[in-house]
Amino acid sequence: MNASLDLKNLERKAWVSYHQDGLFDLYLGLLLFCIAITNSLLEVGLDSWLRYLIFFILLGGSWLLFWAGKRFITTPRLGQVKFSAARRKRKVQLAIIMSFFVLLNVLLLFLTIGARNNPDTWGRFMPQAELFGLFVGVYVGSAVALIAYFKDISRGYYMALVYAVTFAAVEIFENPALYWIGGALIFIPGVVLFVRFLQRHPLPPSEVTLDQPGA
Amino acid sequence: MTSQEPSLPPPQLNDIDRLVHEPSRLMVLANLYVVDSADFTFLMNQTGLTWGNLSSHLTKLEEAGYVRVIKEFVDRKPHTMLSLTEAGRTAFQNYRQQMQHFIQALQSE
């Protein structure tokens, strides 16, 4: 029996146990792989709209895997819990901040496409590759760091660093293959965590419920 | 609270709620205190208690009115969630205060 009675630690332990399954790491790793695959399709010469379609299908597939993993692997092993109102409030705050980031992302994407297609007009305001790379790295890294902060996942800061360095390096060295390395740096620890989680938390026997008669 | 208010008499050892004082039940109450609600599997994982032990402790806590059993359907299957009642929260808070008093009294002597 666990004898700790520090309530803050107890709550955090319960929260952290739900994020030690490696699924979040696998998901963020897969996102970088999705970008890497989409970029490699560019070399094949695939139509850009088709590439975007494949990209969004891959993104959706990654999310589906994450959701299904939580639903069918993590929850049956750890049980269901509704965390406190404070945790739910942080979740809402994160959703609001991420919506803002997505909007800003779309705006920056259009500005970048505009600047690259019009080098003589908009393009004059485009910073050099190094500076642009640095900006993209800080921007993407801070978005992932915010997720780590609001979700209270310490490993998330490592992932934020990998994202920042990967995005900056791709822009500076103009080498999209670096997305594969960044993805692997997050995906592989995720696989280790996932396997360890499955070993530590086998499926409980079916009688572990209060629903059966006499319980 | 102002300093003019009369201070409450220190609790006596006899006042300790024995239902809460038992270590396994105390762990169950503490785990339910920090979340809104949880199911049986979650409590087993967090407390390390066996199914039989946890079941008997929960029955006692439910009979005392400290734990509420919420029956719901998830994917058309019956599912049971557990949460602390107001009486359960108060009992746990009182127990913590009383224990803090006793520890302070022990340290001051």
Side-chain angles (χ1 to χ4, degrees):
Chain A
M1 189 181 74
N2 186 337
S4 165
L5 241 185
D6 180 338
L7 293 181
K8 265 190 183 171
N9 265 348
L10 206 62
E11 198 271 344
R12 188 151 200 281
K13 187 185 147 230
W15 174 260
V16 168
S17 68
Y18 263 81
H19 296 96
Q20 287 294 345
D21 54 9
L23 288 175
F24 186 59
D25 312 55
L26 294 177
Y27 174 60
L28 284 192
L30 279 177
L31 289 190
L32 284 180
F33 289 155
C34 292
I35 300 170
I37 291 167
T38 313
N39 269 294
S40 61
L41 291 176
L42 184 67
E43 290 165 20
V44 179
L46 214 63
D47 183 59
S48 62
W49 287 111
L50 195 57
R51 271 192 306 119
Y52 285 126
L53 182 70
I54 291 170
F55 177 62
F56 284 112
I57 290 170
L58 289 173
L59 280 188
S62 305
W63 172 254
L64 202 66
L65 280 175
F66 175 71
W67 175 83
K70 283 281 177 201
R71 177 94 159 74
F72 299 110
I73 297 172
T74 307
T75 308
R77 283 168 168 78
L78 289 183
Q80 286 191 6
V81 56
K82 285 175 189 158
F83 285 99
S84 63
R87 289 279 183 198
R88 289 200 300 272
K89 192 179 163 194
R90 279 171 83 97
K91 206 173 168 183
V92 172
Q93 285 172 335
L94 176 65
I96 293 168
I97 291 171
M98 283 300 115
S99 313
F100 168 75
F101 256 90
V102 169
L103 285 177
L104 192 63
N105 215 12
V106 171
L107 181 72
L108 289 174
L109 188 71
F110 278 115
L111 283 176
T112 310
I113 292 170
R116 283 185 174 164
N117 289 341
N118 305 285
D120 297 328
T121 52
W122 292 20
R124 282 185 298 168
F125 301 103
M126 189 82 170
Q128 287 183 329
E130 289 82 5
L131 198 63
F132 183 72
L134 199 69
F135 170 76
V136 171
V138 169
Y139 176 75
V140 175
S142 52
V144 181
L146 275 171
I147 296 174
Y149 173 74
F150 279 99
K151 282 181 90 77
D152 196 11
I153 307 173
S154 311
R155 286 189 331 280
Y157 295 109
Y158 160 74
M159 295 182 227
L161 183 69
V162 173
Y163 260 72
V165 173
T166 304
F167 274 83
V170 166
E171 288 300 325
I172 293 167
F173 301 111
E174 293 180 356
N175 184 0
L178 292 169
Y179 285 125
W180 287 106
I181 297 171
L185 285 172
I186 296 174
F187 191 82
I188 292 167
V191 172
V192 174
L193 275 174
F194 184 63
V195 171
R196 205 186 287 170
F197 173 82
L198 292 181
Q199 286 170 342
R200 283 184 186 166
H201 299 281
L203 263 177
S206 55
E207 71 267 17
V208 178
T209 166
L210 277 176
D211 300 317
Q212 61 173 7
Chain B
M1 189 191 293
T2 60
S3 56
Q4 280 79 28
E5 280 181 54
S7 58
L8 291 168
Q12 301 296 308
L13 269 175
N14 284 344
D15 298 338
I16 287 279
D17 187 341
R18 283 160 199 264
L19 198 72
V20 181
H21 190 58
E22 203 283 328
S24 301
R25 280 196 290 273
L26 184 58
M27 278 310 297
V28 173
L29 287 172
N31 274 286
L32 285 176
Y33 186 80
V34 295
V35 297
D36 269 7
S37 59
D39 71 359
F40 204 80
T41 311
F42 174 82
L43 286 174
M44 269 183 70
N45 270 310
Q46 296 299 313
T47 59
L49 292 170
T50 61
W51 180 84
N53 259 331
L54 182 59
S55 182
S56 87
H57 288 308
L58 280 171
T59 305
K60 282 177 189 168
L61 290 169
E62 192 191 354
E63 281 168 0
Y66 289 175
V67 166
R68 182 188 302 120
V69 175
I70 308 155
K71 300 267 184 190
E72 55 187 25
F73 280 86
V74 177
D75 293 338
R76 283 180 282 173
K77 287 179 195 162
H79 186 254
T80 303
M81 294 293 277
L82 303 146
S83 71
L84 281 192
T85 60
E86 266 314 299
R89 284 195 168 266
T90 309
F92 182 73
Q93 283 165 347
N94 286 344
Y95 176 81
R96 286 187 78 202
Q97 282 175 355
Q98 286 173 331
M99 290 310 285
Q100 276 166 357
H101 264 284
F102 292 133
I103 289 166
Q104 279 167 4
L106 279 172
Q107 283 171 339
S108 64
E109 284 175 16

